Amino acid sequence: MKTIITFGTYDLLHVGHIRLLSRARELGDRLVVGVSSDALNFSKKNKYPEFSQQERMEIISMIKGVDQVFLEESLELKGAYLKEYGADILVMGDDWEGKFDHLNSICQVVYLPRTPSISTTAIIEKTRG
Ligand code: C2G
């Protein structure tokens, strides 16, 4: 039983998120997803997501192939989360390339290419425009 873990905000869910989750799931037998908290987003980006952490967790938990969802409260706790959920592989989009290499001592770290030309920020700009 190989456990895959991945993390994200997943605000205004789009096909880039879905493809990343689907490719992550294909690398193992069980997919655990850490959804970043509203407070973590505010501390990183100085703004809150459009959808609350409860809403984002609810949406992610209903996606086919997602077996477990939890709240990611701090970037510094990644190592602890990997251990807690028994991760064999940490999957991140390649916008994080190299950033989590130090976690290789706990589990394998894999960066997958992002889907080009789509992002939550672009959706917000397009719909506001
Ligand atoms: N993604 C993708 N293609 C896109 C947009 C996003 O493959 N066009 C991927 C990202 O690389 C990430 C996942 O979808 O792996 C979730 O993206 P975000 O919600 O933007 O996640 P982020 O805020 O970068 O994660 O510990 C990390 C944090 O949880 C933050």
Side-chain angles (χ1 to χ4, degrees):
M1 166 73 84
K2 202 181 247 189
T3 298
I4 313 299
I5 195 166
T6 192
F7 296 84
T9 306
Y10 308 105
D11 194 23
L12 302 178
L13 195 76
H14 59 67
V15 74
H17 298 139
I18 295 292
R19 287 183 188 159
L20 199 290
L21 290 172
S22 154
R23 283 179 294 157
R25 180 65 175 75
E26 280 169 15
L27 298 177
D29 312 295
R30 176 172 169 257
L31 179 61
V32 180
V33 183
V35 173
S36 59
S37 70
D38 294 337
L40 174 54
N41 270 272
F42 192 80
S43 72
K44 276 193 312 181
K45 304 173 188 170
N46 218 34
K47 71 177 182 68
Y48 288 107
E50 301 292 320
F51 292 150
S52 72
Q53 59 194 38
Q54 288 83 359
E55 291 166 330
R56 292 180 288 111
M57 287 177 77
E58 195 177 328
I59 290 167
I60 296 300
S61 71
M62 294 304 292
I63 292 171
K64 193 169 93 184
V66 172
D67 298 290
Q68 194 174 354
V69 174
F70 69 95
L71 193 65
E72 178 194 27
E73 303 205 64
S74 160
L75 293 181
E76 283 70 47
L77 287 174
K78 270 220 171 43
Y81 292 135
L82 300 186
K83 288 177 192 158
E84 183 176 348
Y85 293 97
D88 296 293
I89 307 180
L90 165 64
V91 172
M92 298 297 295
D94 63 2
D95 45 325
W96 292 91
E97 184 83 53
K99 298 259 166 49
F100 296 112
D101 287 357
H102 58 283
L103 297 169
N104 259 311
S105 55
I106 302 174
C107 73
Q108 192 186 342
V109 181
V110 172
Y111 303 96
L112 295 179
R114 281 167 66 95
T115 301
S117 316
I118 185 158
S119 70
T120 299
T121 310
I123 295 169
I124 292 172
E125 280 167 12
K126 197 171 164 190
T127 51
R128 278 195 187 140

